[in-house]
Amino acid sequence: MVASEFAKGHLAEVCLLPEDLDDWAKALELLAVGQPVRWMDDGRNPEIRITPEGPYISRGEVLNAIEVVVRDTAVSLTSVCVLVRLPDDWVDAQRLRLAQVRAAWPFGQG
């Protein structure tokens, strides 16, 4: 789900493959060192781009935020770009969630 005061969107269904999870693990490594990432950019699902660069300025204020772009070229042909403020431990929290997903992965692949 992506939401801001201006835009709100969600996807009813996303098809994740084991290699998508591997790619997300690699993306988290890049994000941990401040590099931008593109995830799920194969046209099968919405593409997610995360850019941890800045500074971003809003109403004359410098924001400590990342830019997230979601492009749904597979179904709705819609894209949205939002700035998101994340806690310092966000990458570590995502790594934990990834491990939980892999442990619960269907078809006995966990």
Side-chain angles (χ1 to χ4, degrees), residues 32-63:
V33 295
Q35 296 296 311
V37 300
R38 289 173 72 153
W39 183 54
M40 296 195 307
D41 58 351
D42 59 5
R44 194 173 33 83
N45 287 309
E47 173 186 308
I48 298 172
R49 286 184 282 164
I50 302 173
T51 307
E53 299 171 3
Y56 299 105
I57 305 207
S58 175
R59 299 180 189 154
E61 246 184 83
V62 175
L63 301 176

Side-chain angles (χ1 to χ4, degrees), residues 17-103:
L17 300 173
E19 51 266 26
D20 294 324
L21 300 181
D22 295 340
D23 291 344
W24 182 236
K26 292 173 190 169
L28 289 173
E29 294 304 317
L30 290 171
L31 289 169
V33 295
Q35 296 296 311
V37 300
R38 289 173 72 153
W39 183 54
M40 296 195 307
D41 58 351
D42 59 5
R44 194 173 33 83
N45 287 309
E47 173 186 308
I48 298 172
R49 286 184 282 164
I50 302 173
T51 307
E53 299 171 3
Y56 299 105
I57 305 207
S58 175
R59 299 180 189 154
E61 246 184 83
V62 175
L63 301 176
N64 183 18
I66 65 168
E67 180 182 84
V68 178
V69 177
V70 179
R71 292 183 59 214
D72 182 17
T73 58
V75 178
S76 70
L77 304 176
T78 304
S79 66
V80 65
C81 175
V82 294
L83 294 179
V84 180
R85 296 179 193 188
L86 299 174
D88 292 337
D89 65 346
W90 183 82
V91 170
D92 290 333
Q94 291 303 306
R95 287 177 177 143
L96 178 60
R97 286 188 175 117
L98 176 59
Q100 291 169 337
V101 168
R102 285 184 164 159

